[in-house]
Amino acid sequence: MKNVILIQTFIASMSLLTIFSQSANAQLIPQPWVSVGAKDGDTTYAVGAKALGIGAELGVGEDGATGVDVLKFLNLPVISPYVGLGYYSEDKGVAVSGGMHVNASDHLFLGVGYNSVRGINGQLGIKF
């Protein structure tokens, strides 16, 4: 019975290590982006930055709701999918978000995402 628990713990640990380990190259310098989107006929805006697989986005949604989202990126070679959780004013409350960044060149990335307060959005970012 001890061996089964030990093996399960080892597998779980290796899985988490694989998910949360990051390559060090170019991850220390923040990568900023701007975002424009739409929800229910309103134009929405945001600015964000990511480093070490974590990101933050400051956005303005429908009816002037302002909020911050914290994002977790899964850094893969060409694409970086993400999920996030945020909080917005104007009684919008908690927001969930998800999307993907795609490397377009050595110094440019494009993205598309969805935020429950800000709607569908497109992103343009730079890598230093």
Side-chain angles (χ1 to χ4, degrees), residues 40-108:
D40 297 334
D42 290 336
T43 302
T44 62
Y45 305 96
V47 294
K50 65 179 176 177
L52 300 172
I54 303 292
E57 195 170 41
L58 174 64
V60 178
E62 61 180 333
D63 302 327
T66 304
V68 175
D69 296 283
V70 176
L71 310 171
K72 172 59 182 153
F73 288 85
L74 181 59
N75 293 320
L76 300 174
V78 176
I79 62 171
S80 295
Y82 67 87
V83 294
L85 196 61
Y87 189 79
Y88 282 76
S89 65
E90 302 298 325
D91 294 328
K92 299 296 181 187
V94 175
V96 293
S97 58
M100 182 177 306
H101 286 172
V102 178
N103 294 333
S105 72
D106 288 341
H107 301 288
L108 182 70

Side-chain angles (χ1 to χ4, degrees), residues 3-16:
N3 288 339
V4 172
I5 293 173
L6 183 62
I7 291 171
Q8 288 176 340
T9 303
F10 178 75
I11 292 171
S13 298
M14 292 309 293
S15 298
L16 289 174

Side-chain angles (χ1 to χ4, degrees), residues 24-32 49-53 109 126-128:
N25 62 350
Q27 292 299 312
L28 296 177
I29 299 172
Q31 300 173 1
K50 65 179 176 177
L52 300 172
F109 62 90
I126 56 173
K127 298 185 285 184
F128 296 104

